[in-house]
Amino acid sequence: MVGSGGREHALAWRLAQGGGIQIYATPGNPGIASLATCLPVAQTDVAALASAAADLGIGLTVVGPEAPLAAGLADAFAAQGLKVFGPSAAAAQIEASKAFAKSLMRRWQIPTADFKAFDDSSDAISYVRRSSGRVVVKADGLAAGKGVVVARTAAEAETAVADFMVRRVHGPAGARVVIEECLDGEEASVLALVCGERVWPLVPVQDYKRAGDGDNGPNTGGMGAIAPAPLPGGLMGQVIDQILEPVAAAMAREGRPYTGVLYAGIMVTADGPKVLEFNCRFGDPEAQVILPLLQGSFADILLDVVDGRTPPLRWSTGAAACVVLASGGYPGHYRTGFPIAGLEQVPQDIRVFHAGTAVADARLVTAGGRVFNAVGLGPTLEGAVSRAYAGVAPILFDGMQYRSDIGRGIHTVRQAELASAPGGTE
Ligand code: AMP
Ligand code: GLY
């Protein structure tokens, strides 16, 4: 298992539930260390990872974050005959280059916001000035979730273009930008297991991206999540038919067959679902609410996908909610190294995944922007949310912040929809 955040702790926890499985994590974190042997290998040193996996006789490597995949981890492993749950570098381009993803969608008529890509900042700026409506400016490459500006004015869009292309605030990721029309609607994250042209959707998730209650404040990696997301009836079918299956087919037909989990960030617009972005991995914190609802041996499910067999996807009937506990100041500047209290008072039924923690002088301390994820389960969404907050209550560290409205005040919650998880399709 490659990675070190809350998503990876959830992956390791779910893999360990299979029993009889020995897990090695690299680099891991203090939470993962209770389930796995942690090895100090850099996440993007794909050659070192491949030789470690070969030496240890690893049967399946599961990759959490996008960077090792974009760096060719799956290719290096395949060259040594090692199995990986995750796409090749060519297929990971669907996340690693927004211009690639957008042009793929255009070639295959997959619904997404209208766009134009630019390699020249003055062309991009004159396009912004000529645009009539609001625009969104995106750095082409990987920018740790910070490469998107939903501009309120043309001036803000121009500043974003200059920041990305001229000032290079995200380095080479901003050498090219995508400028797209601004869409209106509710967002949902729909992930699917994919092998070539075959697609097996997971339960839909709602991610809470903004730092503050009421969706105020800056965008973050995600401050919480709920699953199954209460989507309008029929929407899941549209996402599968119009987006997930066509994109898997497009990738295969363009010589970049996809293996792994494909994450579609969707805007539910008045014209139907449109793609905001694709990610080549599980979402964080989406994984933390999907995995507790998935039944059966997780390792076997992932092996089925890698080997091209239909995985048996069975879902609990209830719901899951995740509340992220973050360092004060996140996603901007924050301090780390604060001691953490109260973990042992968290009720037994609540899972606390470590996202950014470290052990210093035999004490657990904060070590990242997102520190913990409290995950509650329940027969209803309301029940899951209240269990997640029961997990938050005892935990304390200096500067701790979290949203108090995860899963609360959702307008379209209908019990019937919550109960209907998607079945697999091929
Ligand atoms: P992305 O990383 O591309 O998903 O963008 C991050 C966030 O920016 C999304 O979750 C949306 O909230 C917002 N966003 C991205 N593209 C658009 C768009 N075309 N219209 C409106 N909001 C967008
Ligand atoms: N939670 C959003 C992401 O993982 O990209």
Side-chain angles (χ1 to χ4, degrees):
M1 212 275 319
V2 179
S4 61
R7 165 182 52 204
E8 287 76 21
H9 190 184
L11 287 166
W13 163 74
R14 200 57 195 76
L15 287 165
Q17 278 187 324
I21 294 171
Q22 194 176 354
I23 305 173
Y24 291 86
T26 167
N29 69 32
I32 295 169
S34 65
L35 303 161
T37 306
C38 294
L39 307 169
V41 185
Q43 292 182 47
T44 49
D45 189 347
V46 298
L49 290 171
S51 39
D55 290 348
L56 293 164
I58 300 292
L60 176 68
T61 297
V62 181
V63 185
E66 62 280 9
L69 295 165
L73 183 147
D75 310 83
F77 276 55
Q80 299 211 32
L82 295 161
K83 286 188 187 183
V84 182
F85 180 78
S88 66
Q93 283 296 296
I94 201 161
E95 172 168 1
S97 167
K98 292 194 188 277
F100 168 77
K102 294 294 288 191
S103 59
L104 180 87
M105 288 186 270
R106 183 171 278 166
R107 284 193 292 282
W108 295 86
Q109 285 105 48
I110 293 165
T112 189
D114 202 13
F115 79 100
K116 219 164 149 45
F118 295 92
D119 292 304
D120 180 274
S121 60
S122 24
D123 291 350
I125 285 178
S126 31
Y127 181 79
V128 166
R129 289 185 182 155
R130 287 197 315 273
S131 302
S132 46
R134 285 179 59 190
V135 297
V136 179
V137 181
K138 300 184 174 186
D140 176 58
L142 295 177
K146 299 193 179 97
V148 174
V149 173
V150 182
R152 279 167 301 197
T153 60
E156 256 183 41
E158 280 186 43
T159 304
V161 169
D163 282 346
F164 292 174
M165 301 189 86
V166 182
R167 287 186 280 277
R168 295 286 169 100
V169 296
H170 300 301
R176 171 178 289 177
V177 300
V178 166
I179 299 179
E180 59 181 53
E181 81 182 290
C182 188
L183 300 175
D184 250 342
E186 287 281 318
E187 288 184 49
S189 306
V190 184
L191 288 77
L193 305 177
V194 177
C195 178
E197 300 205 14
R198 291 188 299 159
V199 167
W200 299 283
L202 305 176
V203 282
V205 181
Q206 183 164 2
D207 173 22
Y208 289 74
K209 288 205 166 68
R210 300 284 179 156
D213 282 358
D215 286 335
N216 289 305
N219 256 322
T220 70
M223 293 298 287
I226 55 167
L231 301 181
L235 189 87
M236 197 62 190
Q238 278 179 297
V239 171
I240 295 166
D241 295 347
Q242 297 170 15
I243 294 168
L244 293 172
E245 292 189 338
V247 78
M251 293 290 280
R253 288 172 204 175
E254 292 197 0
R256 301 171 191 256
Y258 196 97
T259 306
V261 60
L262 180 63
Y263 167 141
I266 303 287
M267 186 77 91
V268 184
T269 73
D271 299 333
K274 294 192 180 182
V275 177
L276 295 173
E277 62 163 347
F278 286 113
N279 294 320
C280 64
R281 50 172 173 80
F282 278 106
D284 185 347
E286 284 86 344
Q288 288 87 314
V289 290
I290 293 173
L291 298 179
L293 297 175
L294 180 60
Q295 299 184 341
S297 160
F298 186 47
D300 286 337
I301 288 170
L302 299 182
L303 274 171
D304 281 342
V305 173
V306 169
D307 291 339
R309 292 183 298 267
T310 299
L313 296 187
R314 288 178 293 109
W315 299 96
S316 304
T317 50
C322 171
V323 178
V324 172
L325 299 180
S327 295
Y330 173 80
H333 177 75
Y334 56 83
R335 287 166 58 207
T336 58
F338 296 116
I340 294 157
L343 267 191
E344 60 295 332
Q345 280 140 44
V346 173
Q348 284 297 311
D349 66 307
I350 293 149
R351 220 130 270 129
V352 176
F353 295 121
H354 291 232
T357 66
V359 176
D361 299 328
R363 290 177 81 179
L364 193 67
V365 298
T366 63
R370 294 187 288 178
V371 180
F372 289 110
N373 314 138
V375 177
L377 300 178
T380 62
L381 181 57
E382 289 76 4
V385 167
S386 82
R387 292 318 291 151
Y389 279 104
V392 169
I395 303 176
L396 194 63
F397 54 85
D398 209 350
M400 181 173 103
Q401 55 156 337
Y402 60 90
R403 278 183 64 162
S404 61
D405 63 347
I406 304 302
R408 291 178 172 155
I410 295 197
H411 14 126
T412 52
V413 182
R414 283 191 291 268
Q415 250 359 89
E417 284 165 4
L418 278 179
S420 63
T425 63
E426 282 188 50

